[in-house]
Amino acid sequence: MSKTFDVVVIGAGPAGYIGAIRAAQHGLSVACIDEWQNKDGKNAFGGTCLNAGCIPSKALLESSELYHRAEHEFKKHGIKVGGVDMDIAAMQKRRAGIVRQLTGGIAGLFKAAGVEGLIGHGRLLKDRKVEFTPRDGDKEIIEAKHVILASGSAPIELKIAPFDHEQIIDSWDALELDAVPQRLGVVGAGVIGLELGSVWARLGSEVTVLEAMEDFLFMADRDVARVAAKEFKKQGLDIKLGAKVGKASAGKKGVKVEYEDKDGAQTLEVDKLIVAVGRRPVTGDLFADDAGIQLDERGFIVVDDECRTRVKGVFAIGDCVRGPMLAHKGSEEGVMAADLIAGEIAEMNYDVIPSVLYTSPEIAWTGKTEAEVKESGRAYKTGQFPFAASGRAKAMEQTAGFVKIISSEDDDEVLGVHIVGPMAGELISEAVLALEFSASTEDIQRTIHAHPSLAEAVHEAALAVDNKALNFPNK
Ligand code: FAD
Ligand code: NAD
């Protein structure tokens, strides 16, 4: 007899595993199927984010940042450390240990919540039946009242630079390198290119980033992009904009990349080439032809604002559906889908999803950029406060960057907050809350911020919107 669950989730990344736990919290019987295998062949829950994305990248960003600061900053603090050396094997062991702890933790969370974690492949059939093929076993059919598809995404491969996973590598390979490449090339100056480029540049690689677009960080506010470009250049990242890659070929002497920019045909020779030009939804063998699931022209599963597919009782969430490919976006969709399945009212505010680049300085924003507000035709005002005027930032020796707030002229509502500077990824949470609550600039102005803290820069930027900054001259 086939098993029956109230909810079957396919995929245990941050979208699927959170959706599964939330559904179980509602008292529903839940199974979560996942087939992720790490490079050692072992299965692990957590998907891209925990195994090959957010977590390992942040572990290496932290280690490489500390190494860089020990080498370049400690002297300013009056700390003498002699020759600073690195041990890549130890750094990678720490990274792997963090990943192991967190992915293992999901199995514990499933057990505590009563979610049945199933290791193997899941495939949606007609009428909310799920075919489950265990890693080492025979296919079985599971009946589900509701199904959540959370199959995630994978790196886009360029035909002109196919991955060999040795010299032409993807982001996962780049997180598991066991030596610092002397010359590192990166195709794509997006989030991955900049984060991983920063890691290896700090550890000593000569990094060249080839970006097809003419505008640097085209999705960010222009003021932020300008400061970030300057800072990355200082750190030795050689970012070439408007670079159209024609071909990359791997050989004994490394990878030869042919590209064209405004000055004509160019060649770049590197030891490793990371290709980070975006990710594509994973939907191969996820559903039968007659299951009723529809894909859009880019391969994403078609869903409405509540993540419902065209099939009654079947939801899809995370990177396999429209919207930014971010872990926290997927997790919140998981919560929403589980709450809707349980009969609650739930919705997602897609307008205030925070974006963070964990570079140095960090970059974070939420809401609209100045260009977007301008285009909307709404009258607006802006305020900026530089970290160079922040006592805390000075004490931290991290004064690059600023906080910028854009508010509406008519009702003072905060429309966008953009930060480049220390701990921007933490500071942005106050802004997300402000936008979620439709706060006015005056709300932030009248909120007491601890002194001395980096958060005071958010306070001062809000004051600056009305030319009332107290620790920096107004416009
Ligand atoms: P995934 O995490 O991809 O998980 C999907 C899971 O489903 C996988 O385990 C997969 O094996 C499984 N699966 C797929 N199909 C099936 C099937 N048919 N049967 C069984 N199992 C299946 N985002 C952030 O918000 N912050 C960051 O700092 C950040 N850093 C990143 C760094 C890197 C290098 C990368 C690559 C990504 C990063 N991201 C970050 C993006 C983030 O990892 C994704 O947005 C997130 O993992 C998406 O979650 P998901 O659950 O939708 O999919
Ligand atoms: P991305 O979309 O952020 O950037 C890809 C970049 O490659 C773009 O700038 C694009 O113009 C460029 N590009 C595309 N084709 C090119 C070509 N042929 N030659 C040169 N440049 C080219 O994608 P990504 O960096 O691969 O990241 C994938 C996803 O993972 C992103 O959507 C991101 O949201 C997510 N991610 C998030 C974080 C974070 O939240 N901190 C970190 C890493 C990844």
Side-chain angles (χ1 to χ4, degrees), residues 10-16 33-36 46-49 52-54 57-58 120-122 150-153 171 175 192 195-196 279 282 285-286 317-320 325-328 358:
I10 302 181
I33 303 172
D34 193 277
E35 64 185 353
W36 183 279
T48 307
C49 176
C54 327
S57 62
K58 268 76 249 181
H121 186 77
S151 51
S153 65
S171 53
L175 286 166
I192 293 182
E195 288 189 356
L196 292 183
R279 295 175 62 83
V282 168
D285 201 32
L286 178 65
I317 58 174
D319 280 11
C320 65
M325 287 182 163
L326 295 172
H328 43 281
Y358 294 86

Side-chain angles (χ1 to χ4, degrees), residues 46-360:
T48 307
C49 176
L50 275 80
N51 289 289
C54 327
I55 300 302
S57 62
K58 268 76 249 181
L60 288 187
L61 277 156
E62 198 64 36
S63 299
S64 60
E65 171 75 359
L66 284 178
Y67 173 73
H68 185 82
R69 294 185 72 186
E71 237 194 345
H72 300 279
E73 243 178 57
F74 279 18
K75 227 186 293 168
K76 286 190 195 154
H77 286 271
I79 304 170
K80 291 184 185 168
V81 285
V84 181
D85 214 351
M86 82 179 86
D87 179 347
I88 289 285
M91 223 176 251
Q92 291 292 27
K93 195 171 162 206
R94 175 181 170 275
R95 187 249 326 134
I98 294 168
V99 167
R100 224 177 6 257
Q101 274 172 19
L102 290 176
T103 54
I106 296 177
L109 290 172
F110 275 176
K111 205 165 168 210
V115 173
E116 187 159 341
L118 301 174
I119 292 166
H121 186 77
R123 183 164 172 264
L124 178 72
L125 307 177
K126 226 166 88 172
D127 301 328
R128 292 189 306 276
K129 287 188 174 54
V130 174
E131 178 187 87
F132 169 54
T133 312
R135 180 169 171 175
D136 306 306
D138 297 331
K139 278 186 180 37
E140 53 183 284
I141 302 296
I142 301 175
E143 311 238 359
K145 290 190 187 132
H146 303 271
V147 175
I148 302 178
L149 303 173
S151 51
S153 65
I156 291 175
E157 184 163 21
L158 291 179
K159 278 206 186 89
I160 47 142
F163 296 122
D164 60 19
H165 300 286
E166 281 294 326
Q167 288 172 290
I168 303 181
I169 60 178
D170 65 18
S171 53
W172 191 8
D173 303 321
L175 286 166
E176 303 205 357
L177 294 178
D178 54 12
V180 181
Q182 199 193 332
R183 303 163 304 168
L184 176 69
V186 185
V187 184
V191 196
I192 293 182
L194 292 172
E195 288 189 356
L196 292 183
S198 298
V199 165
W200 294 107
R202 288 169 194 163
L203 297 178
S205 297
E206 279 165 40
V207 179
T208 309
V209 187
L210 302 176
E211 166 59 47
M213 306 276 282
E214 296 288 348
D215 279 342
F216 178 58
L217 276 180
F218 63 92
M219 61 292 198
D221 191 87
R222 291 301 79 203
D223 289 336
V224 167
R226 249 189 309 276
V227 169
K230 208 172 96 197
E231 290 302 317
F232 295 153
K233 197 170 172 194
K234 269 199 239 163
Q235 286 162 29
L237 285 184
D238 183 4
I239 301 168
K240 298 192 188 296
L241 298 173
K244 310 274 182 293
V245 178
K247 194 170 177 240
S249 38
K252 279 201 183 115
K253 288 189 184 154
V255 185
K256 191 168 155 197
V257 189
E258 290 161 46
Y259 67 97
E260 231 175 83
D261 63 11
K262 62 178 182 349
D263 300 320
Q266 312 284 348
T267 306
L268 173 73
E269 293 195 359
V270 289
D271 301 309
K272 303 261 181 201
L273 181 72
I274 305 175
V275 178
V277 294
R279 295 175 62 83
R280 58 169 178 82
V282 168
T283 54
D285 201 32
L286 178 65
F287 49 84
D289 289 345
D290 61 357
I293 299 299
Q294 219 190 352
L295 301 182
D296 69 14
E297 64 287 352
R298 296 192 304 145
F300 290 92
I301 297 172
V302 174
V303 288
D304 65 11
D305 287 349
E306 293 184 330
C307 288
R308 294 177 198 272
T309 66
R310 304 254 164 121
V311 186
K312 198 167 176 287
V314 179
F315 291 74
I317 58 174
D319 280 11
C320 65
V321 303
R322 83 286 174 266
M325 287 182 163
L326 295 172
H328 43 281
K329 173 261 189 187
S331 295
E332 279 311 306
E333 288 180 335
V335 168
M336 173 175 70
D339 288 355
L340 290 168
I341 287 169
E344 289 189 355
I345 293 170
E347 63 177 358
M348 248 298 289
N349 185 354
Y350 285 92
D351 292 337
V352 301
I353 298 170
S355 295
V356 181
L357 272 72
Y358 294 86
T359 44
S360 178

